[in-house]
C-alpha cells in the first residue's frame, strides 16, 4: 500500500485515516496473490546499508546474505580491502554493499544480462559508477589478477529440491539450482579461488545451511584455510577462505 501511495510505510502506520486506497492497489495485490516476490512488485529491496533496484531476471537480495559482509568485516578488522571481486553479482548486491562499507574499487561478474543491467543501474543510483565495474562472464573464467576480498553467492539448491512458488516460479533458476547435489558451482569456484585471493585477503562464499562440510572439503582440497560463519538465525551461512590460518 505504501508503494502504491508513494509514501513511507511509517506514514500509513502513524496516520492510516489520512489515505484513500489508490486505483493501482488491486492490481498489485493480484500480483502478490500470484506469489510474485514483493521486491519485484515494488522494484526495490533494502540490503545491508543500501537500497537496490531489482526485478525479473535478478535474484532478490536476502538478509541472510549480509552474513558475508559481517564475515568480511571480521577478517579486515582494523583495516579495509582495496579491491573487491563479486562473482555472481546479480543486481550488484554484495559488491555495492561492500563498496558502501569500504572506500574500495570493485568488479562484479554475472552471466545474466538482465542482472547486470540492474547492477549497473544500482551502481549509478548509489553514486558508485566510478568504483564499480561489471562484466558478463562465467564465474572467474575471464578474470586475471588478485583481489583483497572475493564475495560469491552461487546457486546451491539441488535440482530436485522443492521451493516456494514465489521463488521457483519467479526468480531465475540459473541463480538457484546447481546440479543434483547443489554443489556444481562450488566445485568450479574452489579451483578458481586460490589464484584470485591476494596475500592477506579472503574469499567469502555463501552456502546452504547443510553444506558447510562438503564445501569446506572442496576448499581445503585446494590448500585453503576455511572458517565458518552463521547467519542471524544461527544457521551455517558463509565460509571465509584464506591462504593463511583461518580467521
Amino acid at each position: 500500500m505504501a508503494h502504491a501511495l508513494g509514501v513511507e510505510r511509517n506514514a500509513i502506520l502513524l496516520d492510516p485515516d489520512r489515505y484513500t486506497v489508490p486505483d493501482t492497489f488491486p492490481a498489485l495485490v493480484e500480483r502478490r496473490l500470484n506469489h510474485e516476490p514483493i521486491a519485484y512488485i515494488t522494484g526495490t529491496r533494502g540490503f545491508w546499508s543500501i537500497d537496490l533496484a531489482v526485478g525479473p531476471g535478478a535474484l532478490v537480495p536476502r538478509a541472510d546474505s549480509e552474513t558475508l559482509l559481517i564475515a568480511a568485516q571480521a577478517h579486515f578488522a582494523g583495516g579495509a580491502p582495496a579491491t573487491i571481486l563479486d562473482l555472481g553479482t546479480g543486481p550488484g548486491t554484495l559488491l555495492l554493499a561492500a563498496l558502501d562499507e569500504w572506500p574500495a574499487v570493485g568488479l562484479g561478474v554475472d552471466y545474466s544480462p538482465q542482472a547486470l543491467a540492474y547492477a549497473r543501474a544500482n551502481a549509478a543510483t548509489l553514486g558508485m559508477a566510478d568504483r564499480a565495474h561489471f562484466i558478463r562472464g562465467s564465474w572467474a573464467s575471464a578474470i586475471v589478477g588478485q583481489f583483497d576480498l572475493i564475495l560469491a553467492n552461487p546457486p546451491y539448491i539441488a535440482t530436485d529440491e522443492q521451493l516456494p512458488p514465489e521463488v521457483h516460479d519467479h526468480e531465475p533458476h540459473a541463480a538457484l539450482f546447481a546440479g543434483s547435489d547443489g554443489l556444481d558451482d562450488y566445485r568450479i569456484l574452489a579451483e578458481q579461488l586460490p589464484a584470485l585471493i591476494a596475500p592477506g585477503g579472503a574469499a567469502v562464499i555463501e552456502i546452504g545451511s547443510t553444506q558447510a562440510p562438503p564445501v569446506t572439503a572442496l576448499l581445503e582440497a585446494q590448500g585453503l584455510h576455511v572458517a565458518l560463519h552463521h547467519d542471524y538465525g544461527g544457521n551455517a551461512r558463509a565460509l571465509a577462505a584464506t591462504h593463511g590460518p583461518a580467521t
Side-chain angles (χ1 to χ4, degrees), residues 2-105:
H3 171 71
L5 289 167
V7 301
E8 296 291 329
R9 290 180 61 194
N10 288 346
I12 300 177
L13 295 173
L14 291 171
D15 189 8
D17 295 334
R18 175 182 175 185
Y19 302 98
T20 301
V21 177
D23 293 338
T24 56
F25 186 61
L28 300 179
V29 173
E30 189 65 29
R31 290 170 65 182
R32 184 60 184 145
L33 288 171
N34 193 40
H35 301 287
E36 186 173 351
I38 291 176
Y40 284 5
I41 297 172
T42 64
T44 187
R45 171 60 61 89
F47 180 83
W48 195 245
S49 53
I50 59 177
D51 289 319
L52 296 163
V54 295
L59 189 72
V60 176
R62 271 94 163 150
D64 284 340
S65 297
E66 294 181 357
T67 307
L68 278 70
L69 278 303
I70 296 171
Q73 283 180 327
H75 179 82
F76 290 100
T83 54
I84 301 172
L85 173 65
D86 182 10
L87 296 172
T89 191
T93 303
L94 292 170
L95 177 60
L96 298 177
L99 292 180
D100 197 52
E101 189 70 24
W102 295 289
V105 294

Side-chain angles (χ1 to χ4, degrees), residues 18-236:
R18 175 182 175 185
Y19 302 98
T20 301
V21 177
D23 293 338
T24 56
F25 186 61
L28 300 179
V29 173
E30 189 65 29
R31 290 170 65 182
R32 184 60 184 145
L33 288 171
N34 193 40
H35 301 287
E36 186 173 351
I38 291 176
Y40 284 5
I41 297 172
T42 64
T44 187
R45 171 60 61 89
F47 180 83
W48 195 245
S49 53
I50 59 177
D51 289 319
L52 296 163
V54 295
L59 189 72
V60 176
R62 271 94 163 150
D64 284 340
S65 297
E66 294 181 357
T67 307
L68 278 70
L69 278 303
I70 296 171
Q73 283 180 327
H75 179 82
F76 290 100
T83 54
I84 301 172
L85 173 65
D86 182 10
L87 296 172
T89 191
T93 303
L94 292 170
L95 177 60
L96 298 177
L99 292 180
D100 197 52
E101 189 70 24
W102 295 289
V105 294
L107 175 64
V109 181
D110 206 287
Y111 196 73
S112 165
Q114 297 99 318
L116 288 172
Y118 281 108
R120 293 188 178 104
N122 283 322
T125 299
L126 293 166
M128 299 179 184
D130 60 333
R131 296 196 291 135
H133 302 279
F134 299 95
I135 62 171
R136 185 168 186 252
S138 178
W139 299 122
S141 59
I143 306 300
V144 177
Q146 293 185 318
F147 299 82
D148 297 323
L149 174 61
I150 302 169
L151 299 164
N153 179 12
Y156 54 72
I157 298 170
T159 50
D160 61 352
E161 189 171 334
Q162 298 298 308
L163 295 175
E166 80 172 58
V167 178
H168 184 276
D169 296 348
H170 295 277
E171 296 195 65
H173 285 194
L176 296 169
F177 296 104
S180 60
D181 60 0
L183 300 176
D184 281 5
D185 292 292
Y186 293 117
R187 295 185 178 97
I188 297 170
L189 287 169
E191 293 185 356
Q192 295 176 341
L193 288 175
L196 296 171
I197 304 172
V204 187
I205 309 162
E206 182 161 337
I207 57 171
S209 60
T210 64
Q211 293 174 320
V215 180
T216 295
L218 288 170
L219 295 169
E220 289 181 342
Q222 299 296 323
L224 296 171
H225 296 260
V226 182
L228 173 63
H229 296 262
H230 295 79
D231 62 24
Y232 299 125
N235 299 303

